[in-house]
Amino acid sequence: MTNAITTTTHHPAVQWLTGEFLPTIGGSLNEAERQLGLSEKVLRGLIRGSYEGNAARQLAKLDEQRKRITAQASAAMAGNTQYIPTEIMQRVWNACDCAKAARLINMVVGVSQIGKTTAARAYRERYPETTLLVELMPKPTMSGMLRDLAKALRLPGSSCRSLSATQYAVRAALSPRHLIIVDEAHLALDRQQGADALDIVRRLRDLTGCGVVLLVTDLDGSKFTNSPHAGQLDQLKRRGLSELLPDTPTTNDVALIWQAFQLPAPTPDIERTVHALARKNCFGTLLAIVRLAVAEARLNGAAVDLQHFSAALCRMGRGLA
């Protein structure tokens, strides 16, 4: 028991739990269970050094939560505008959480430049130890997919000297705690090698119980149905749910962008202009417009006004009309 006490009570995650996290929530282990996803019994055992189960596994889970919460706090203090928690981001995260919890293959469909990739990268930062993000390049292959997964899992090169060895090593390293996110999955739909790349992800999920999310740039998800490999790809669609994202930023998203840049309440004219831009542009473009307008204003030491938005739009070859 002495070894267990030394191992757990002096672990950085347990010291963070007792010294930093619990004081912020009034010392409530019940609230800690809700926020961290570890039971009161487990937390109490780790704190006392009396946990009788697989302490290393529970410490790894706690350390993952420590990193996530610490990263979120750091981003909030810095006024980070890279990852703005928009409604679209929340919907992507919900699809990820659902896939991970229920071991599904979920598909998230939306037009280009609405924040799918940004949401996926933010989710990986939120759960860095268990999220494997593969951002597909054109003409993906099964061997390329396995190499990307091996890299995300930080597997040593010595275990991946052949295709079969890489597949075995990836399978051995995956567990139900992992989530594989395949970004730009539509790039794999028009050729057999790409369909095989997605199919190996399906087989790994079936064998290991990990969750999978496919991010697809499409208007309505018809690219899967119309693919020449639809029969093979149908195995993916049968194992989860589909989420169709809105084409343009919502009213709440616009408000969140404003808050992220720590801007004062907009004038009625600016509010009308920004909402009109939101209806005409995707999230990425709208964010770029606001970022440029804010930069123009700060360079001049002034509050953001319509002239700054006009200047930003001119730089992007657009207009307010």
Side-chain angles (χ1 to χ4, degrees):
M1 188 62 68
T2 302
N3 289 337
I5 293 174
T6 302
T7 301
T8 61
T9 60
H10 290 85
H11 191 280
V14 176
Q15 292 183 338
W16 165 81
L17 174 67
T18 56
E20 297 181 36
F21 183 71
L22 284 176
T24 67
I25 57 172
S28 170
L29 286 179
N30 181 264
E31 178 62 17
E33 176 180 343
R34 188 187 71 81
Q35 292 195 34
L36 301 176
L38 283 83
S39 70
E40 284 190 49
K41 180 179 178 181
V42 168
L43 293 172
R44 191 176 290 109
L46 294 177
I47 292 171
R48 294 176 177 174
S50 58
Y51 184 71
E52 297 180 356
N54 187 337
R57 181 179 179 183
Q58 300 302 334
L59 287 169
K61 291 181 180 179
L62 180 60
D63 201 44
E64 182 180 329
Q65 296 301 315
R66 175 183 68 85
K67 293 175 181 177
R68 173 181 67 84
I69 291 173
T70 302
Q72 287 179 328
S74 299
M77 290 179 64
N80 193 331
T81 59
Q82 183 180 9
Y83 299 134
I84 299 174
T86 61
E87 290 186 25
I88 288 175
M89 179 176 287
Q90 291 296 336
R91 289 171 71 166
V92 173
W93 284 7
N94 288 342
C96 291
D97 288 341
C98 177
K100 194 173 180 180
R103 303 176 186 179
L104 300 174
I105 301 178
N106 287 341
M107 184 167 66
V108 179
V109 179
V111 298
S112 180
Q113 286 289 304
I114 59 170
K116 300 187 299 297
T117 300
T118 299
R121 290 171 179 170
Y123 194 88
R124 180 179 59 186
E125 288 200 15
R126 185 184 184 191
Y127 299 110
E129 303 300 324
T130 55
T131 303
L132 313 177
L133 174 59
V134 177
E135 299 187 33
L136 287 190
M137 300 295 286
K139 299 183 179 180
T141 62
M142 181 173 68
S143 60
M145 177 70 76
L146 287 169
R147 282 197 304 271
D148 287 343
L149 289 172
K151 182 179 179 180
L153 287 163
R154 303 184 184 89
L155 298 181
S158 58
S159 66
C160 305
R161 290 176 177 169
S162 67
L163 181 62
S164 59
T166 304
Q167 184 173 345
Y168 179 82
V170 169
R171 175 183 172 182
L174 285 172
S175 75
R177 293 180 59 225
H178 287 100
L179 175 73
I180 299 173
I181 303 176
V182 181
D183 190 25
E184 308 288 359
H186 57 280
L187 294 175
L189 301 181
D190 60 353
R191 54 200 302 266
Q192 184 62 55
Q193 294 94 326
D196 290 343
L198 292 184
D199 200 48
I200 193 65
V201 173
R202 175 194 61 82
R203 297 211 304 270
L204 287 169
R205 172 263 176 192
D206 290 349
L207 291 167
T208 67
C210 68
V212 176
V213 169
L214 307 177
L215 301 181
V216 180
T217 298
D218 196 359
L219 287 174
D220 55 10
S222 60
K223 287 184 179 179
F224 265 78
T225 305
N226 298 331
S227 167
H229 312 288
Q232 182 179 1
L233 296 170
D234 192 53
Q235 294 292 323
L236 293 164
K237 296 180 67 175
R238 289 174 180 268
R239 285 167 166 76
L241 307 170
S242 295
E243 173 79 11
L244 185 60
L245 301 176
D247 294 349
T248 56
T250 66
T251 300
N252 286 339
D253 287 347
V254 174
L256 287 167
I257 292 173
W258 214 255
Q259 293 172 17
F261 283 94
Q262 301 177 347
L263 298 172
T267 65
D269 285 344
I270 290 180
E271 190 168 15
R272 281 193 294 271
T273 298
V274 173
H275 282 284
L277 291 170
R279 289 191 295 271
K280 293 170 59 178
N281 295 278
C282 63
F283 178 78
T285 301
L286 177 62
L287 186 58
I289 293 168
V290 175
R291 184 174 284 124
L292 279 173
V294 170
E296 290 279 348
R298 289 177 177 168
L299 282 173
N300 296 311
V304 178
D305 59 25
L306 286 178
Q307 288 184 340
H308 299 123
F309 277 99
S310 180
L313 289 162
C314 286
R315 285 194 181 191
M316 299 180 68
R318 297 166 182 261
L320 285 172

